[in-house]
Amino acid sequence: MAVTMATLGYSTYFVCYKLLEEDLGLRAQATAQVAAHLVSVDDHLIKEMMGLDIRSSQKHPAVLEFKRKMAPIIKENGIKYIYVETRLKGDEIRYFVSPDEERQFGEPPGTPLQYFYVLTSEDESQYRNRDRFDVEDPLRERAYKEKKPMYYKPMRSKWGQLLSGYAPLYDQEKRFVGFLGVDIAEDHFIGSVRYIRNIIFLSYGILVLVGGIFLYRASRLLSKPMYIDGLTGLYNHRYMQVRLEEEISRAIRYKRTLTLLMLDLDFFKSINDRYGHIAGDLVLKSLSAVIVENLREGDISCRYGGEELVVILPETDLKEGTPVAERLRKAIESTPFHLSPGCPPIQLTVSIGIAELMEGDTGQSLLQRADEALYLAKSHGRNRCNCC
């Protein structure tokens, strides 16, 4: 009996270990995708950084700006490193020059250093120029071949045991330039593994099925949701704030347009009062699905709070944004919302405030103008769109 339970306990531990590995990998990948939206890299910057030594590069404005933007992401999400890298070609490639390093990393003589760290969140004061270059590994080989977001299981490198996530980077002309990488350190991963192991020791002797369910839930809880609202599946309020500021900066820098929609479900309180809060949650979830189905690729839908939603429309002026808002309004008005089997569907409407980015706008002022436009739509009878 003891042997059977020990075997089942080990099997449960192994399953939870793999789940945790997957969850942390997806966290690294998701963080890389979010951080990639905050970075602007092109061939000119890459060549400029390669022409600087490691001391001079630390003072470059792009490096300082990168560290500033990445600091809150690192602080809140258990990340060790965030960096931008590119693959070198031809005479740009470096090679191992130290036999000691070759022995240390198990690399044969003449191994090429094909990758260059353009930007990094680290303090590089103790590094050498050699440390700005790195070798091929399974994740890089696959990433540069497929050019899509991905993660890789814990892997040994010269920086330690790391679990890495990648997101592709493109310049303003939509040309692929490299990847943004996010590394979660071994100690973070091992600490979570020990947490699971301790639960197994504590639950030893309990029914295996109950223990397995408990351990599965524990491993899932270790991967905290970062940027997704748990009810609606839209981006959450924090992501909306970060992304809106970044889209405003990009619009100002490249003289592009930007429009913001603020949506509010009409008479939502009466739905909660009549059908209950569970039905209200179901309505919000269904409403969010309708919004996502009717947005364009590149539009960003977020939950602002309660029944209020925000949609960011990059590269869109007021003239283009108004039909988008009207399309959403009509789609919601014409959609029957089912609260439970056997009950007749209910009809819903939304009021929408529209605001276009103007000179001098901040994220807060743009949100405020969209909110004022929403108030106008509400005060003029609801189920309509208003601009401000």
Side-chain angles (χ1 to χ4, degrees), residues 42 69 135 179 204 234 264 266 310 349 354 361 380 386:
D42 54 26
K69 288 183 176 181
V135 297
F179 275 90
Y204 189 82
L234 305 179
D264 186 76
D266 296 329
V310 163
T349 61
I354 313 169
D361 261 336
H380 285 81
N386 268 81

Side-chain angles (χ1 to χ4, degrees), residues 231-300:
L231 174 63
T232 63
L234 305 179
Y235 289 115
N236 61 22
H237 185 88
R238 172 160 182 76
Y239 178 87
M240 183 274 296
Q241 289 180 309
V242 173
R243 186 65 183 273
L244 180 58
E245 291 294 345
E246 176 58 23
E247 291 297 337
I248 289 175
S249 298
R250 184 177 288 113
I252 293 172
R253 185 184 310 125
Y254 298 108
K255 296 181 171 55
R256 305 291 173 83
T257 54
L258 177 70
T259 296
L260 188 75
L261 308 182
M262 185 172 285
L263 298 79
D264 186 76
L265 186 59
D266 296 329
F267 303 111
F268 182 67
K269 184 177 183 302
S270 65
I271 296 174
N272 279 332
D273 293 342
R274 182 175 179 181
Y275 300 101
H277 289 280
I278 293 178
D281 288 348
L282 180 61
V283 164
L284 287 176
K285 187 174 182 180
S286 302
L287 174 72
S288 301
V290 173
I291 289 173
V292 171
E293 288 173 5
N294 287 275
L295 286 176
R296 307 163 304 177
E297 183 178 358
D299 296 338
I300 304 134

